[in-house]
Amino acid sequence: MDPPSQPAPSEIPDLVRIGSISADTAINVQTDILDPVIFSEREARFVLDNKGILHSNSRITLSTDGLANTDAEGRAFFPANIGVHSLIQRAALRVGTKTVCEIEDYNHFAAYEATFLPPDAIKEREQVMSGRFMTIAPKLDARSEAFTSASNSASITESLTESKSIQIDNGKGTVPMGANAKVWQPISGSGAQTPSRTVYDFQDEKNKPTYSVLLADLFPFLKTNQLPLFMMSEQVSIHLTFTTRQTDTSSERLCVTEGVTLAKDAVLVRGDCQLIADYIYYPQEMMEQYRQANAKMSFTYVDYQFVKRTVAAAEFAGQLIQNLGGAGRIVNKIFVAAQQDAPKDASLLNNYIAEGPAVSGTTTGQVVTNLKYNDNFLYPIDVSNDARHYHNVFHSEGRVPYISRDLYRGEGQLATDLATTPGSVNFEDYNAKDDLRQKFFYTAYRLNRGERINSRGVELYDKRTTMAGSSTLRAWLQVMKVAQLEDGMLDLTFA
């Protein structure tokens, strides 16, 4: 009797690549809740079981002890644009002793990625899942919020269509007398209103919210591939390095209501730091056929190299020429952010921002940039137009950033304050003019020739006139890597 015929490799569905497979394929998902094998205020490490296929939407949960803020009315909360991602400074995925993916300054990396999240997804999902609430909406003119006192009438027309300002809209109404007041507190007979929205009660750090982070957000490798753990013999682990806990009353982990001082920085709760791992199982014969047909398989994926340094305002004004590395690598794109010294928690975004030249009533300054690699400039003429800078971000990513020109380069005059625009509102008593305007000025570059970078590396030419002070420059280079899995052992090389 002839042995049963084996399916051709082309007939075996690709179980690892993210996408659709036959609708009649049986799938079983097993969820394990894993505690870290190492945990401290500085780091945590998780070890995965070598079984099934790791789902890329597995999550790591994190929470704090709720004791950072002792003020009776004010609130402590995670930054508006990145939420609980502010707790993670570095993320690494390792197989054996080899690092598959690693992202430095991950919290700042997450701030860039968050600009591409649709506002509806943030408002309806991310507020609960990760603590983000960076959804910008126009503020319609409302007579009640333009009173200068309870006895005055407002010199403003009520409107359902007209807006003269923008602000974070998380779905809550305003508190007339400011974020530190009660929503039911009557308007003062003598003082001016300071209408402000606030975070939800469940987002207040006092209430110890537990949020989660997707593995696919931590490791870009998992956005296109799932790990076939059942085919791997080496230990697979996830290493997280947490944002440094401050010893004074400041924080790089949390933000706080304007005018409120933290009692101490947030402390992580070990019991809530867990990996919720989803392992996918297909019929045993299908997984065995896949193992045999892919005894030697390879993944092509992207990883990021990181450059960070301090740049003085005078150096930016005279044109910064910074070598970003990348020699001998295939670099697809680069994105850059400059963050000036910030007051940390006394803001809506903490330090997770990207800023340009100082904005005044008459000018937003000028940024002139270009890249040079393989002895040629990326652009034949340096880019100085702000709309072109914004377009280059879209062109590099292939997706539109959901940020207005006010938030990008301080143009438009809609990110304003109560003094300038009666009827505008604050958020946790922070106005949009000081805390949102030009806080998302990222520049991005797509290296479009598909060439390997020569030994000189990539050089960034960046002139900014005039920055308000010294800045921390961060640049991430997206490089191509190849992972080969053979006989359970993973080998990594640069493409």
Side-chain angles (χ1 to χ4, degrees):
M1 181 176 180
D2 295 333
S5 60
Q6 295 294 325
S10 60
E11 298 175 357
I12 302 173
D14 192 341
L15 305 181
V16 173
R17 186 161 300 277
I18 294 176
S20 61
I21 60 174
S22 301
D24 59 351
T25 302
I27 301 176
N28 181 37
V29 179
Q30 176 183 327
T31 300
D32 288 358
I33 299 179
L34 306 177
D35 291 318
V37 296
I38 295 175
F39 178 86
S40 70
E41 276 296 315
R42 190 59 185 142
E43 64 177 342
R45 179 161 66 94
F46 297 92
V47 175
L48 295 163
D49 295 329
N50 292 62
K51 61 182 183 181
I53 299 171
L54 179 66
H55 198 293
S56 295
N57 285 346
S58 300
R59 290 178 175 268
I60 293 177
T61 62
L62 297 164
S63 75
T64 55
D65 64 359
L67 301 176
N69 175 39
T70 57
D71 184 84
E73 302 297 341
R75 286 156 294 279
F77 49 91
F78 290 106
N81 53 341
I82 62 174
V84 77
H85 295 258
S86 65
L87 295 177
I88 303 173
Q89 191 271 328
R90 182 193 302 122
L93 174 64
R94 293 174 183 160
V95 177
T97 58
K98 300 172 286 291
T99 300
V100 179
C101 280
E102 185 172 26
I103 297 181
E104 291 278 353
D105 273 18
Y106 168 77
N107 34 27
H108 291 271
F109 177 91
Y112 173 74
E113 288 291 323
T115 62
F116 302 99
L117 284 174
D120 58 333
I122 297 175
K123 193 170 185 177
E124 298 172 6
R125 183 187 67 209
E126 291 300 316
Q127 284 198 99
V128 177
M129 300 300 292
S130 65
R132 296 181 175 119
F133 53 90
M134 187 67 196
T135 52
I136 297 299
K139 173 63 182 68
L140 298 178
D141 290 348
R143 182 185 297 272
S144 62
E145 289 168 351
F147 282 148
T148 56
S149 70
S151 60
N152 288 4
S153 61
S155 57
I156 187 172
T157 302
E158 193 89 14
S159 176
L160 296 177
T161 59
E162 185 178 358
S163 172
K164 297 179 182 177
S165 63
I166 58 176
Q167 183 53 275
I168 293 176
D169 179 11
N170 62 345
K172 290 191 69 175
T174 59
V175 181
M177 296 307 296
N180 284 318
K182 302 293 186 183
V183 68
W184 44 260
Q185 185 172 331
I187 299 173
S188 170
S190 58
Q193 279 196 84
T194 54
S196 180
R197 293 192 180 101
T198 63
V199 297
Y200 286 94
D201 286 344
F202 72 84
Q203 294 173 314
D204 188 349
E205 198 262 348
K206 290 178 185 174
N207 295 320
K208 306 177 185 178
T210 299
Y211 294 122
S212 62
V213 178
L214 282 173
L215 292 190
D217 289 339
L218 291 170
F219 310 113
F221 169 81
L222 296 177
K223 290 186 176 181
T224 55
N225 299 284
Q226 299 177 127
L227 280 178
L229 297 175
F230 75 103
M231 298 173 60
M232 305 176 76
S233 302
E234 299 172 284
Q235 184 185 83
V236 180
S237 59
I238 293 171
H239 296 246
L240 300 181
T241 301
F242 297 122
T243 304
T244 303
R245 181 174 180 269
Q246 305 297 307
T247 56
D248 55 12
T249 57
S250 66
S251 175
E252 293 183 4
R253 298 178 172 186
L254 295 173
C255 297
V256 69
T257 303
E258 198 275 333
V260 174
T261 301
L262 290 176
K264 62 176 183 177
D265 201 356
V267 177
L268 294 166
V269 177
R270 178 183 177 125
D272 291 333
C273 181
Q274 295 177 316
L275 170 59
I276 303 175
D278 291 333
Y279 299 97
I280 302 174
Y281 293 89
Y282 295 93
Q284 184 175 354
E285 61 275 10
M286 179 183 291
M287 295 182 73
E288 187 58 36
Q289 290 168 2
Y290 184 80
R291 186 204 301 267
Q292 294 176 6
N294 295 275
K296 182 177 181 180
M297 63 187 304
S298 63
F299 309 89
T300 300
Y301 67 100
V302 298
D303 198 6
Y304 289 88
Q305 294 185 353
F306 180 63
V307 176
K308 177 179 178 180
R309 61 158 294 193
T310 300
V311 183
E315 190 172 3
F316 262 136
Q319 188 175 67
L320 170 71
I321 302 177
Q322 175 65 41
N323 191 295
L324 302 179
R329 313 292 186 228
I330 297 177
V331 180
N332 291 332
K333 69 179 180 184
I334 297 171
F335 60 92
V336 178
Q339 171 239 324
Q340 298 180 54
D341 295 336
K344 297 180 181 177
D345 53 86
S347 64
L348 289 172
L349 308 175
N350 205 294
N351 287 344
Y352 309 109
I353 54 179
E355 299 171 285
V359 177
S360 69
T362 57
T363 180
T364 59
Q366 187 179 48
V367 178
V368 182
T369 68
N370 210 334
L371 280 187
K372 187 177 183 180
Y373 68 103
N374 292 354
D375 302 321
N376 292 296
F377 283 100
L378 178 62
Y379 305 114
I381 300 175
D382 293 345
V383 178
S384 59
N385 185 283
D386 291 332
R388 180 67 188 278
H389 289 311
Y390 185 92
H391 169 79
N392 288 342
V393 175
F394 161 71
H395 180 255
S396 299
E397 295 289 339
R399 46 188 177 154
V400 178
Y402 291 92
I403 46 178
S404 70
R405 59 178 182 158
D406 296 81
L407 275 58
Y408 188 69
R409 274 292 282 125
E411 301 171 352
Q413 298 183 340
L414 289 177
T416 183
D417 57 13
L418 286 164
T420 307
T421 309
S424 64
V425 299
N426 297 333
F427 196 97
E428 290 291 349
D429 282 350
Y430 295 106
N431 63 67
K433 181 178 179 180
D434 295 331
D435 275 76
L436 297 178
R437 185 174 67 173
Q438 199 188 211
K439 302 299 184 184
F440 300 86
F441 180 56
Y442 296 94
T443 55
Y445 313 86
R446 175 163 289 280
L447 282 62
N448 52 18
R449 294 197 290 266
E451 300 173 350
R452 190 177 300 277
I453 306 300
N454 63 18
S455 59
R456 189 171 177 176
V458 180
E459 291 179 332
L460 170 68
Y461 288 70
D462 198 326
K463 182 177 182 180
R464 306 189 182 203
T465 52
T466 303
M467 300 292 282
S470 62
S471 307
T472 300
L473 178 78
R474 294 178 176 88
W476 290 265
L477 289 74
Q478 187 187 83
V479 299
M480 296 298 299
K481 296 180 76 173
V482 177
Q484 288 191 332
L485 181 61
E486 183 176 6
D487 297 330
M489 306 298 290
L490 191 69
D491 183 47
L492 303 173
T493 57
F494 285 97

